[in-house]
Amino acid sequence: MGEFDLIARYFKRNTAPAQAAPAPAASLSIAKDTPGVALGIGDDCALLTPAPGQQLAISTDMLVEGRHFFADVDPAALGHKALAVNLSDLAAMGAQPLAFTLALALPPARAGDDAWMSGFARGLFALADEHRCALVGGDTTAGPLNISITVLGQVPAGQALRRDGARAGDDIWVSGTLGDARLALLALQGQLALPPDQLATLRQRLEQPTPRLALGTALRGAATSAIDLSDGLAGDLRHILNASGVGAVLDAKALRTAGATAATATGLAHARSADAGQDLQHTLTGGDDYELLFTAAPAQREAVRAAGAASATPVTRIGRIEPAQGAWLQDAQGGRQPLSDFRSFDHFA
Amino acid sequence: MGEFDLIARYFKRNTAPAQAAPAPAASLSIAKDTPGVALGIGDDCALLTPAPGQQLAISTDMLVEGRHFFADVDPAALGHKALAVNLSDLAAMGAQPLAFTLALALPPARAGDDAWMSGFARGLFALADEHRCALVGGDTTAGPLNISITVLGQVPAGQALRRDGARAGDDIWVSGTLGDARLALLALQGQLALPPDQLATLRQRLEQPTPRLALGTALRGAATSAIDLSDGLAGDLRHILNASGVGAVLDAKALRTAGATAATATGLAHARSADAGQDLQHTLTGGDDYELLFTAAPAQREAVRAAGAASATPVTRIGRIEPAQGAWLQDAQGGRQPLSDFRSFDHFA
């Protein structure tokens, strides 16, 4: 199968003659019918017509086999995750998805594996359709498996949730639960034993994360800054602190709550509570959570809780922004430990 | 060196404290000062503020080591080419560059090779600055060397040069010269002997192609369709014909002119003329030319020549669009050979 056949078969939907390019599923939307997309796949460039008063938000993430995912990962989960990690960046800006491009390097054996290719496309498009985000272009080539997605979204001008808006006195919040993906990774690597049903739940968190798009847009006007948690809380918080020129104190007890909410709900309390210190380590440094870390003035607490409720996303207040630079973990007795004791993930470390 | 240090050192320019992130060159522009760029590198997303009445043109190209370039290629040339092939897609739409994102998978040995990284960034930014195209975001990760760039440009709404606008009776034109990159590739592979100075000239065409941006914007309103030549004339012409539902006849003599202009100018006449049949093969199927192939009504001949002159880009009329589908090469005696006899490059063929 040639390069153009690959694109037509798996990635170009309904815009080519049906006999030449069967759509993966009949119900899938046509890219050119998506609001703002004037021209989709099949030309030198796609064309978007931005809505008046909106800014465009753009982000790029690249996933490499053996680095970001296992070679035997379910291809539908991989398709989902490749787009999810990009959508998560839009969520962290409070932006609404519009479109994405996909660059895909494939070993020839993968390109010729119809079950794998179909599964990947199915997972990718299921998430894309859920968020009305159209695939408008891309590139396929032979090479070691590599998935690079660039996503475009829109946000009303001036309302984006940036990293540089945190102010002393702001509360620090986090969505969902932290450390689930790390626990799943450890279990898959054989470093942790988990009952099969618990592993299945955590594995879904690792392999099919949920981009918090509804929460992100609901937080516009309430949050002062936001970032998505991809490398781990301790490291990602530092990006907000550096950009905003402030410091932070995290509350160890509240963090345990953020790390335990899902655990309790899904019967994972045992796995979680076996080692409280280890647990906190996962909460602070486990990557791949794709939850939102954000700040808001104390006057906005009800607005933040309302945004969480409106988007059906748990939100937990875990600390406070301080004027002096530095980041600390504080226990119930007021003792402080530097957050730099906890290391986040770094691809070249 | 960690992931964030890599970005700060080589790809984030002037926007971070100087001591933490020395800019590769003092004269380089700041991304956030580029028109339309509201927020550059360093947040979850970049933010662009589109100008009123403009559409956004988006394209993505991925380059893989060993597939698109040799492992020992000059890193500055590689940085140039990785962006050039994307800018060439903007040129083919008649769009003006705005911004780009860079996703880069690097083997740790490359990431730690300062000369290589600096050279790559230098070549990349030299071309980016020439066209006022700001690096606004991206991703770096460890992995087999892979460069994925997404470029964004703008074009007045409705004026983009698409592939589906060719009409029967239109002239077919091509810019620059064709087949240079193929000759260089053959020479580098040892399949062709060339004098060193001629190889150097052709090698520059292969490794540092010139995106025809000025010609592309000058052709707005004159050309009816356009595409950039990345896979070879014979195959890329087919994309225009399929999208427009028309056919074409190419003039063999005019094609030889398009294939020989630079050859004559640079003293390559000998290498070119040694085998006329082989020469035509290179002209029709040599990839990596990054010239523009476009169509225009005969009434626009003077306008097309003026666009070529204004952009200092040679343009040659090489054929004619016909109502009946099919693509032919016609010799001086009127004999026709199907263009499908000439195969273009396909990454999975």
Side-chain angles (χ1 to χ4, degrees):
Chain A
M1 183 178 302
E3 179 181 355
F4 300 105
D5 299 321
L6 264 183
I7 295 168
R9 177 181 280 246
Y10 299 110
F11 300 115
K12 191 173 176 181
R13 303 192 300 169
N14 297 5
T15 51
Q19 68 279 19
S27 66
L28 296 174
S29 62
I30 302 171
K32 66 181 179 188
D33 286 350
T34 304
V37 178
L39 182 65
I41 292 179
D43 214 305
D44 294 285
C45 293
L47 293 174
L48 295 190
T49 309
Q54 301 280 318
Q55 287 182 315
L56 273 162
I58 300 140
S59 185
T60 296
D61 269 305
M62 179 177 260
L63 302 190
V64 175
E65 182 175 82
R67 192 84 196 173
H68 300 90
F69 56 90
F70 296 109
D72 63 351
V73 69
D74 169 41
L78 182 60
H80 173 105
K81 184 162 181 173
L83 182 58
V85 302
N86 279 280
L87 291 176
S88 182
D89 285 311
L90 290 184
M93 296 301 280
Q96 176 192 348
L98 278 180
F100 69 105
T101 66
L102 166 69
L104 192 57
L106 289 165
R110 292 276 194 199
D113 180 346
D114 180 64
W116 195 91
M117 290 296 300
S118 298
F120 178 83
R122 191 172 59 247
L124 181 81
F125 284 126
L127 185 65
D129 289 346
E130 185 184 334
H131 296 288
R132 297 181 60 78
C133 189
L135 176 63
V136 294
D139 193 15
T140 55
T141 178
L145 186 54
N146 181 307
I147 307 159
S148 178
I149 286 181
T150 296
V151 74
L152 294 113
Q154 62 182 5
V155 55
Q159 293 188 34
L161 307 175
R162 300 164 54 143
R163 295 181 180 177
D164 58 4
R167 297 292 172 259
D170 281 356
D171 296 323
I172 302 173
W173 297 80
V174 74
S175 70
T177 55
L178 304 180
D180 293 345
R182 172 65 63 91
L183 285 178
L185 183 65
L186 291 173
L188 292 174
Q189 289 173 335
Q191 298 182 48
L192 181 73
L194 287 177
D197 60 324
Q198 297 187 6
L199 174 58
T201 303
L202 290 180
R203 187 171 185 161
Q204 178 141 7
R205 290 273 295 156
L206 171 67
E207 296 181 350
Q208 300 193 61
T210 304
R212 299 300 193 182
L213 286 156
L215 177 64
T217 52
L219 285 173
R220 289 180 200 155
T224 52
S225 73
I227 189 172
D228 80 316
L229 295 176
S230 55
D231 296 328
L233 173 58
D236 288 328
L237 173 61
R238 204 171 310 137
H239 295 307
I240 285 186
L241 302 183
N242 289 344
S244 302
V246 293
V249 179
L250 296 184
D251 177 66
K253 185 163 166 242
L255 267 181
R256 285 202 181 84
T257 306
T261 309
T264 309
T266 57
L268 290 167
H270 174 72
R272 292 272 188 183
S273 61
D275 178 343
Q278 191 66 15
D279 222 39
L280 200 55
Q281 174 74 27
H282 296 158
T283 303
L284 281 168
T285 68
D288 269 353
D289 283 322
Y290 300 102
E291 296 294 346
L292 297 188
L293 175 71
F294 57 98
T295 59
Q300 298 290 333
R301 280 179 196 170
E302 278 318 300
V304 168
R305 290 197 185 94
S311 58
T313 311
V315 290
T316 308
R317 188 155 54 87
I318 58 166
R320 180 176 77 246
I321 297 293
E322 298 205 321
Q325 296 195 23
W328 308 88
L329 183 68
Q330 185 164 296
D331 63 26
Q333 289 71 45
R336 290 187 171 190
Q337 181 182 3
L339 216 56
S340 53
D341 286 359
F342 301 88
R343 287 185 60 87
S344 277
F345 185 75
D346 185 309
H347 281 290
F348 292 99
Chain B
M1 182 178 301
E3 179 181 353
F4 300 105
D5 299 320
L6 263 184
I7 295 169
R9 176 181 279 246
Y10 298 109
F11 300 114
K12 192 173 175 180
R13 303 191 299 169
N14 299 4
T15 50
Q19 67 278 17
S27 66
L28 296 176
S29 62
I30 302 172
K32 67 182 178 185
D33 287 349
T34 304
V37 179
L39 183 65
I41 292 178
D43 213 305
D44 294 285
C45 294
L47 293 174
L48 295 191
T49 308
Q54 301 279 319
Q55 288 183 315
L56 273 160
I58 301 140
S59 185
T60 296
D61 270 304
M62 178 177 261
L63 302 190
V64 175
E65 183 174 80
R67 192 86 195 169
H68 300 90
F69 57 90
F70 296 110
D72 63 352
V73 69
D74 169 43
L78 182 59
H80 173 105
K81 184 163 182 174
L83 182 58
V85 302
N86 280 279
L87 292 176
S88 181
D89 285 312
L90 291 184
M93 296 299 281
Q96 175 193 351
L98 278 179
F100 70 105
T101 66
L102 167 69
L104 193 56
L106 288 166
R110 293 275 193 197
D113 180 346
D114 181 63
W116 196 90
M117 291 296 298
S118 298
F120 178 82
R122 191 172 61 248
L124 181 81
F125 284 125
L127 185 65
D129 289 347
E130 185 184 334
H131 296 289
R132 298 181 60 79
C133 190
L135 178 63
V136 295
D139 194 15
T140 56
T141 178
L145 185 55
N146 181 307
I147 308 159
S148 178
I149 286 181
T150 296
V151 74
L152 295 112
Q154 62 183 6
V155 56
Q159 293 187 31
L161 307 177
R162 300 164 55 144
R163 295 181 181 177
D164 58 4
R167 296 293 170 259
D170 281 357
D171 296 323
I172 302 173
W173 297 79
V174 74
S175 70
T177 55
L178 305 180
D180 293 345
R182 172 64 63 91
L183 285 179
L185 184 63
L186 291 173
L188 292 173
Q189 289 174 335
Q191 298 181 49
L192 180 74
L194 286 178
D197 60 325
Q198 297 186 5
L199 175 58
T201 303
L202 291 179
R203 187 171 186 163
Q204 177 139 6
R205 290 274 294 158
L206 171 68
E207 295 181 350
Q208 299 193 62
T210 304
R212 299 300 193 183
L213 287 155
L215 177 64
T217 52
L219 285 173
R220 287 180 201 155
T224 51
S225 74
I227 189 173
D228 81 316
L229 294 176
S230 55
D231 296 328
L233 173 58
D236 288 329
L237 173 61
R238 204 171 309 138
H239 295 308
I240 285 186
L241 302 184
N242 289 345
S244 302
V246 292
V249 178
L250 297 184
D251 178 64
K253 186 166 166 237
L255 268 180
R256 287 205 178 83
T257 306
T261 309
T264 308
T266 57
L268 289 166
H270 175 72
R272 291 271 187 187
S273 60
D275 179 343
Q278 191 65 16
D279 221 39
L280 200 54
Q281 174 74 26
H282 296 157
T283 304
L284 281 169
T285 68
D288 269 355
D289 282 321
Y290 300 103
E291 295 295 346
L292 297 189
L293 176 70
F294 56 97
T295 59
Q300 298 290 333
R301 280 180 195 167
E302 278 317 301
V304 168
R305 291 199 184 94
S311 59
T313 311
V315 290
T316 308
R317 189 155 54 86
I318 57 166
R320 180 177 76 246
I321 296 293
E322 297 205 323
Q325 295 193 25
W328 309 88
L329 182 68
Q330 185 164 298
D331 62 26
Q333 288 72 43
R336 290 186 172 192
Q337 182 183 4
L339 215 57
S340 53
D341 286 359
F342 301 88
R343 285 187 62 87
S344 277
F345 187 75
D346 185 309
H347 281 292
F348 291 99

